[in-house]
Amino acid sequence: MRTDKKVTAVLMCVLTVFLLAACAKRTDVDSGDSYIYSLNTDRTGLVKITFEFEEDDPLRQAEAILSEMKQPASDIEYTTVFPEDVEVTECNISGGILAVDFNSAYLQMENLEEKLVRAAVVQSLVRIDGINAVYFSVEGENLKDGDGRPIGLMNEDDFVENTASSPSSYQTGTLVLYFANADGDKLVPQEMNVRYSSNISREKLIVEKLIQGPQSGGVYPVINPDTNLLSVTIKDKICYVNFDSTFLTGAYDIVPELTVYSIVNSLTEGTEAEQVQITINGESDNSYMEAVDLSKPLESDMNWVAAENEET
């Protein structure tokens, strides 16, 4: 009789554990849980869902996440990220940048839905160690925004609203930017007082000011003014700066290294970045004017900076 009671007690414990597991929802993400992002049921916002990163290789982890985002939702608190017709056609990683290519159905999504899908994918993928930024393409062509401009590299910072201050709030500061000397063979530092929106990152401000050129005489611009800055972000002490191809067209008669190291030196001096990775349309396999290899992150090089008695 006691044996029957013990068996019954064991069965009840097993049943209780089973029922608790069955009731657990993937949206019940606690602190320390491994997770990715999905869309809520009405596809108007993001929601975290539990996900175990079982693979060790960053590319395989990325492929597992992208595959998971095609799977039907297991409870009613969230929904599948990708619409049924949207497929990932290719996925590869180089230099910490994950490139994801989609079929043409990706472009059929409505604007709000596409932004949410992109936010869910990017914020999930950059949680993988070894992936610092994500680049989207469709049928091999750069994904573009509503104005036809390439979106470029993305990370979680591109999808976080600045709630600490209103869009109209501003702050002031001083930047040290490097421009060319009169001979075009050395860099010269210039202090620049700036007033800027608190919604703009310091690294973006630095690169934009370099493109605009110096504010006073005695120093000269280094970057083609027609260059478009597609994105700039810092992760793991590396600043990723993504330009369009116009950047590779030198507009001034200066040593090519000055253009590259004006960016690198200005960013490493003015931000937390210790290295700078320059990409062109999301691609790192480039060189600037056949003189500077851009395939890997670069550290500052003060050898290109003029001594004080050489500045003028």
Side-chain angles (χ1 to χ4, degrees):
M1 192 72 173
R2 288 181 179 177
T3 301
D4 291 341
K5 288 183 177 179
K6 288 182 179 180
V7 171
T8 301
V10 170
L11 290 174
M12 289 297 293
C13 289
V14 171
L15 180 60
T16 300
V17 171
F18 176 79
L19 289 174
L20 288 173
C23 292
K25 296 180 180 179
R26 292 188 66 184
T27 51
D28 295 335
V29 179
D30 295 324
S31 177
D33 287 349
S34 181
Y35 66 89
I36 59 175
Y37 287 90
S38 190
L39 271 61
N40 60 18
T41 306
D42 57 3
R43 303 183 74 79
T44 59
L46 301 186
V47 60
K48 294 178 182 178
I49 62 172
T50 56
F51 180 82
E52 294 298 327
F53 293 83
E54 297 179 352
E55 300 284 351
D56 294 328
D57 179 70
L59 180 58
R60 290 187 178 277
Q61 289 187 36
E63 291 172 341
I65 289 175
L66 292 168
S67 176
E68 177 66 24
M69 290 180 167
K70 284 287 293 182
Q71 302 304 313
S74 59
D75 62 62
I76 63 172
E77 303 298 325
Y78 73 100
T79 188
T80 306
V81 174
F82 294 126
E84 184 177 357
D85 295 336
V86 173
E87 300 286 348
V88 175
T89 60
E90 190 175 358
C91 184
N92 57 72
I93 186 171
S94 176
I97 300 173
L98 182 76
V100 184
D101 187 68
F102 296 92
N103 64 350
S104 58
Y106 185 95
L107 299 178
Q108 303 306 311
M109 285 186 283
E110 295 292 334
N111 187 48
L112 175 59
E113 181 183 25
E114 188 277 326
K115 287 183 178 179
L116 289 171
V117 168
R118 181 153 40 96
V121 174
V122 172
Q123 291 187 102
S124 298
L125 293 175
V126 296
R127 302 194 70 249
I128 299 172
D129 289 337
I131 296 179
N132 301 314
V134 182
Y135 170 78
F136 277 16
S137 60
V138 178
E139 301 288 352
E141 298 291 331
N142 302 333
L143 180 64
K144 296 180 174 60
D145 63 17
D147 296 323
R149 295 172 298 189
I151 289 174
L153 300 182
M154 299 169 285
N155 72 8
E156 66 270 28
D157 294 336
D158 293 295
F159 305 99
V160 177
E161 293 293 332
N162 187 343
T163 57
S165 58
S166 67
S168 60
S169 62
Y170 286 83
Q171 55 188 342
T172 59
T174 301
L175 304 177
V176 177
L177 305 179
Y178 288 88
F179 296 102
N181 64 3
D183 294 330
D185 61 356
K186 288 288 184 178
L187 291 171
V188 178
Q190 181 186 75
E191 285 195 357
M192 183 179 294
N193 295 320
V194 292
R195 180 175 182 270
Y196 59 100
S197 169
S198 57
N199 290 323
I200 298 178
S201 68
R202 189 173 178 86
E203 56 269 21
K204 182 178 181 181
L205 179 69
I206 287 172
V207 180
E208 288 181 342
K209 292 298 182 183
L210 287 173
I211 295 173
Q212 292 172 12
Q215 288 184 340
S216 58
V219 293
Y220 300 87
V222 290
I223 302 175
N224 188 330
D226 294 327
T227 297
N228 289 308
L229 175 62
L230 303 181
S231 62
V232 56
T233 187
I234 295 177
K235 185 171 184 179
D236 298 332
K237 303 295 185 180
I238 300 177
C239 186
Y240 295 87
V241 185
N242 187 31
F243 295 112
D244 70 350
S245 58
T246 308
F247 172 76
L248 298 177
T249 306
Y252 306 106
D253 185 17
I254 60 175
V255 175
E257 284 83 355
L258 298 193
T259 297
V260 173
Y261 285 100
S262 70
I263 299 169
V264 176
N265 291 359
S266 297
L267 285 168
T268 53
E269 183 163 334
T271 72
E272 65 182 25
E274 297 176 357
Q275 295 178 305
V276 177
Q277 173 72 70
I278 297 175
T279 59
I280 308 300
N281 293 323
E283 298 290 335
S284 59
D285 187 18
N286 293 285
S287 65
Y288 182 74
M289 305 291 287
E290 300 183 355
V292 186
D293 182 13
L294 302 179
S295 63
K296 296 179 181 179
L298 300 170
E299 297 180 351
S300 65
D301 189 344
M302 303 308 288
N303 291 322
W304 290 104
V305 179
E308 289 189 15
N309 60 355
E310 299 176 325
E311 291 183 5
T312 57

